[in-house]
Amino acid sequence: MNTDQAGTPNNYLKAIRLINIGEDRCAFEIGKIPIRQHINAHYFFAQTDVSTLENIPHPAPRRQYVITLKGKLRFTVSNGETFIIEPGIILIANDTRGEGHTWEVVDGNEWERIYIPLEDGSDDYFIAD
């Protein structure tokens, strides 16, 4: 089987996108992003601290990809729904206003991640399931 054929599962990474919905609330969508896709970004940074925003509702400070390298987290959105982020699942933080989301580490006490801020107006390449 050729893994370079369009439409095969190996051509995508699993992704979850946080979004704003009416009344400045937050929800999420499950989907994917294509591999080998150029992202319009000029820098990235890494973070390991988990004490600053864990369990505190907050919106994303900017549109960004969040790439988890180590850790397993439960995210909760405004309506109480939850999802799990762990290595292999890309988080696209697009909930830049309102209540935002919370998160908590559910396995261990570490979250190593890389943030890739997206340029204003650029496509995040997310494809909803």
Side-chain angles (χ1 to χ4, degrees), residues 2-69:
N2 182 353
T3 59
D4 289 332
Q5 292 176 350
T8 63
N10 293 338
N11 284 337
Y12 297 95
L13 297 171
K14 184 174 180 178
I16 298 176
R17 180 168 62 178
L18 292 167
I19 58 171
N20 286 117
I21 57 175
E23 300 177 17
D24 285 339
R25 296 179 60 83
C26 175
F28 67 91
E29 303 173 294
I30 296 173
K32 59 193 174 191
I33 57 172
I35 63 171
R36 298 184 188 97
Q37 177 64 54
H38 177 76
I39 299 168
N40 294 321
H42 291 290
Y43 68 96
F44 71 92
F45 60 98
Q47 190 167 0
T48 59
D49 184 26
V50 295
S51 63
T52 56
L53 291 175
E54 186 172 13
N55 291 315
I56 299 171
H58 63 282
R62 69 195 72 75
R63 291 178 59 238
Q64 60 191 2
Y65 283 89
V66 183
I67 314 299
T68 296
L69 304 173

Side-chain angles (χ1 to χ4, degrees), residues 19-126:
I19 58 171
N20 286 117
I21 57 175
E23 300 177 17
D24 285 339
R25 296 179 60 83
C26 175
F28 67 91
E29 303 173 294
I30 296 173
K32 59 193 174 191
I33 57 172
I35 63 171
R36 298 184 188 97
Q37 177 64 54
H38 177 76
I39 299 168
N40 294 321
H42 291 290
Y43 68 96
F44 71 92
F45 60 98
Q47 190 167 0
T48 59
D49 184 26
V50 295
S51 63
T52 56
L53 291 175
E54 186 172 13
N55 291 315
I56 299 171
H58 63 282
R62 69 195 72 75
R63 291 178 59 238
Q64 60 191 2
Y65 283 89
V66 183
I67 314 299
T68 296
L69 304 173
K70 184 177 184 180
K72 184 174 183 178
L73 297 98
R74 177 180 300 109
F75 277 72
T76 304
V77 295
S78 303
N79 67 0
E81 291 183 342
T82 65
F83 62 89
I84 298 293
I85 288 290
E86 57 190 335
I89 301 173
I90 307 301
L91 177 66
I92 303 170
N94 233 4
D95 63 326
T96 57
R97 65 180 193 279
E99 293 178 33
H101 58 276
T102 62
W103 56 265
E104 64 178 318
V105 177
V106 295
D107 187 10
N109 58 3
E110 295 179 296
W111 184 21
E112 294 179 3
R113 62 229 185 251
I114 294 175
Y115 292 99
I116 304 173
L118 295 168
E119 291 182 0
D120 290 338
S122 67
D123 193 342
D124 63 17
Y125 304 104
F126 180 81

